[in-house]
């Protein structure tokens, strides 16, 4: 089944991406749309998945991400840490023999935490040779993840609500009007990073955006300072669990990865940006090879 | 003018309260409604203020709060720290000789910050004898304030967006469903306080509310843990500027004051709760006496 063409799907809350992969591992076709979970009515996932095959061909399909959550196609139980691609492959939930949903990963003792989707990218970066078997991975996003790989397995991880808090502030808060534009890595972003590193509370630092506005100290609307505060605070907390001198692997969307890499550099660590799409496809390919060894 | 009856108005973004005060300082009448700034169309403040006099009588009137902001009746310039009731009285903006808006207070050097309304309560608590001339005041709310009084003047202060962040999470975030109920000061609130004191990042601690839910570790929806995290983080930052052993004066709404007093106690400081309404009325009364000395 999996030695010929197959379809890989990264299906999240607001978007989905699908790729048709050839027997040599090369991408033959792909598409992305905004048919995330929130846009699929309950009971309509069969149809929404059939739509993927109509566009990319009637091939076997592996899906990862929030599609396996209680708001997705079918709730797939999490695999507990430590987790590797073998444990993910073993716990795939099969809609039918040619359609499987990859489980997320959970951590139940100490710091309770969950992820769905990032585990394929993190372990895919490893199978692709981009990340080491012992690595510390930062995956920016709505719910950013800091993932520790030990001996090729996800041993523990930590979620930061950084992206969601930024969106809430941008869309609904008293700061909304000042956060509308694009974030750029300039002086304001760096000032935000520095304030976060100083250990100042986000609760008070964020309000200075408002105070500067009404005091006329910050005439240009620009979210870069606030973004620097939030990403700086995230990175400050994430790096508190880093080993001295280790290089952080940053995986994800390139614009966000560059901001995080800048924050990591400002905090005195090196980083290496790894393409999230390539990692995802490498992770899915490794799982197909576990399902059907050569 | 101010030796006979007068009207005191605390006019905020979402609510307004007005009191009719007799020549002896006793409250003769009062009302509260939800005609805050957001509910008054531009150009309609004259009418909205006339409505207060229709209800309480045609008396001189002093107003404080966001009514003096750019979204209020008239934008009244801030008075800079250090500020006392004398500086506030001097800088009142007069709509007419019987109708004045009290300015807010700003801080422009170091940590830029602004307030409108809390300054009357803080300095009113002092003139009422409830707070000392050298005191550290905590005023919980949407934008909580930590106010340092030195020699009877507001010398510096710091705003925390605690209440607003909690509302954003409760209304719009992935945690919304778990934050719907009332906050109570029990084990979960105390656990949130302890986690905040440990210095854990809010960005990651807040996500454990979600993780516990999907892992079935927290079957009851209860916002007390999240509230403990936020108030604990606020108090942790506020107390980092306290003097060893000093008693914190907590002024405001009694339910919120009790939660803050509990957080302050858990952090090893004593506090004293001061009634916000009484402080406000004392502050306004002192200003009328400055305007028209006996």
């Amino acid at each position: 089944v999996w030695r010929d063409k197959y379809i890989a799907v990264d299906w999240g809350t607001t978007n989905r991406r699908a790729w048709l992969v050839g027997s040599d591992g090369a991408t033959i076709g792909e598409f992305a749309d905004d048919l995330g979970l929130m846009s699929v009515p309950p009971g309509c996932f069969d149809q929404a998945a059939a739509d993927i095959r109509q566009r990319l061909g009637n091939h076997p399909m592996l899906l990862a991400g929030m599609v396996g959550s209680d708001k997705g196609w079918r709730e797939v139980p999490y695999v507990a840490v430590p987790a590797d691609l073998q444990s993910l492959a073993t716990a795939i939930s099969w809609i039918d023999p040619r359609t499987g949903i990859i489980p997320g990963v959970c951590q139940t003792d100490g710091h309770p935490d969950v992820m769905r989707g990032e585990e394929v990218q993190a372990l895919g970066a490893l199978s692709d040779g981009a990340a080491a078997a012992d690595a510390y991975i930062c995956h920016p996003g709505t719910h950013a993840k800091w993932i520790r790989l030990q001996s090729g397995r996800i041993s523990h991880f930590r979620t930061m609500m950084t992206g969601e808090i930024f969106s809430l502030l941008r869309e609904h808060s008293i700061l909304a009007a000042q956060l509308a534009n694009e974030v750029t890595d300039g002086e304001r972003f760096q000032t935000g990073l520095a304030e976060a590193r100083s250990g100042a509370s986000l609760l008070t630092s964020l309000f200075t955006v408002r105070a500067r506005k009404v005091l006329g100290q910050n005439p240009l609307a620009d979210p870069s300072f606030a973004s620097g505060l939030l990403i700086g605070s995230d990175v400050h907390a994430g790096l508190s669990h880093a080993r001295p001198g280790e290089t952080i692997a940053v995986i994800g969307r390139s614009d966000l990865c560059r901001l995080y890499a800048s924050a990591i550099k400002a905090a005195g660590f090196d980083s290496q940006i790894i393409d999230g799409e390539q990692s995802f496809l490498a992770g899915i390919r490794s799982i197909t090879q576990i399902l059907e060894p050569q």
Side-chain angles (χ1 to χ4, degrees), chain A:
Chain A
V1 177
W2 302 100
R3 302 277 292 273
D4 198 0
K5 293 175 194 165
Y6 61 87
I7 297 171
V9 185
D10 188 0
W11 202 334
T13 304
T14 52
N15 296 287
R16 66 174 182 180
R17 297 193 66 177
W19 295 264
L20 174 61
V21 181
S23 56
D24 59 352
T27 299
I28 303 171
E30 63 178 288
F31 73 88
D33 62 25
D34 56 2
L35 212 60
L37 267 55
M38 289 182 351
S39 306
V40 179
C44 294
F45 275 95
D46 283 325
Q47 184 51 48
D51 165 64
I52 297 174
R53 284 198 169 101
Q54 277 161 18
R55 294 163 77 163
L56 295 179
N58 185 20
H59 304 288
M61 181 156 68
L62 285 177
L63 308 97
M66 292 297 284
V67 66
S69 76
D70 58 351
K71 293 186 176 63
W73 194 356
R74 173 191 287 181
E75 188 169 3
V76 180
Y78 294 98
V79 166
V81 290
D84 56 16
L85 288 172
Q86 180 70 54
S87 19
L88 296 184
T90 305
I92 286 173
S93 179
W94 295 101
I95 302 281
D96 64 54
R98 300 170 69 243
T99 312
I101 303 179
I102 298 168
V105 175
C106 73
Q107 180 171 271
T108 53
D109 50 348
H111 180 83
D113 216 327
V114 291
M115 66 168 114
R116 285 199 192 269
E118 297 89 351
E119 67 290 336
V120 175
Q121 290 187 45
L123 294 167
L126 168 64
S127 71
D128 204 27
D134 289 276
Y136 196 32
I137 294 172
C138 170
H139 188 292
T142 303
H143 297 151
K145 310 286 177 187
W146 288 81
I147 302 168
R148 172 64 69 189
L149 293 189
Q150 282 181 324
S151 309
R153 303 193 297 180
I154 295 173
S155 64
H156 41 271
F157 63 98
R158 202 169 277 271
T159 302
M160 310 275 180
M161 288 185 69
T162 316
E164 180 166 3
I165 302 269
F166 189 65
S167 296
L168 292 174
L169 292 168
R170 191 173 225 170
E171 286 164 31
H172 303 291
S173 82
I174 195 174
L175 310 180
Q178 283 121 276
L179 302 184
N181 296 338
E182 284 297 296
V183 173
T184 54
D185 181 6
E187 190 188 335
R188 290 179 185 194
F189 183 73
Q190 293 292 331
T191 303
L193 294 181
E195 184 154 333
R197 274 199 311 284
S198 78
S201 166
L202 267 181
L203 296 172
T204 189
S205 297
L206 284 168
F207 192 76
T208 62
V209 173
R210 166 80 182 159
R212 285 205 176 89
K213 164 69 164 39
V214 299
L215 293 171
Q217 293 184 359
N218 206 5
L220 289 175
D222 185 340
S224 299
F225 173 71
S227 173
L229 285 175
L230 282 162
I231 291 178
S233 181
D234 177 332
V235 164
H236 184 69
L239 290 179
S240 71
H241 299 277
R243 293 172 188 147
E246 79 177 323
T247 296
I248 312 300
V250 184
I251 305 183
R253 264 174 44 200
S254 64
D255 54 340
L256 215 43
C257 283
R258 280 194 297 273
L259 292 174
Y260 270 74
S262 178
I264 289 167
K265 183 180 176 189
F269 280 77
D270 289 329
S271 68
Q272 170 204 7
I273 295 180
I274 298 174
D275 184 74
E277 175 180 332
Q278 197 173 324
S279 299
F280 181 77
L281 290 172
I284 297 291
R285 182 152 194 84
S286 296
I287 290 174
T288 65
Q289 290 164 349
I290 290 167
L291 293 174
E292 193 168 296
Q294 303 256 331

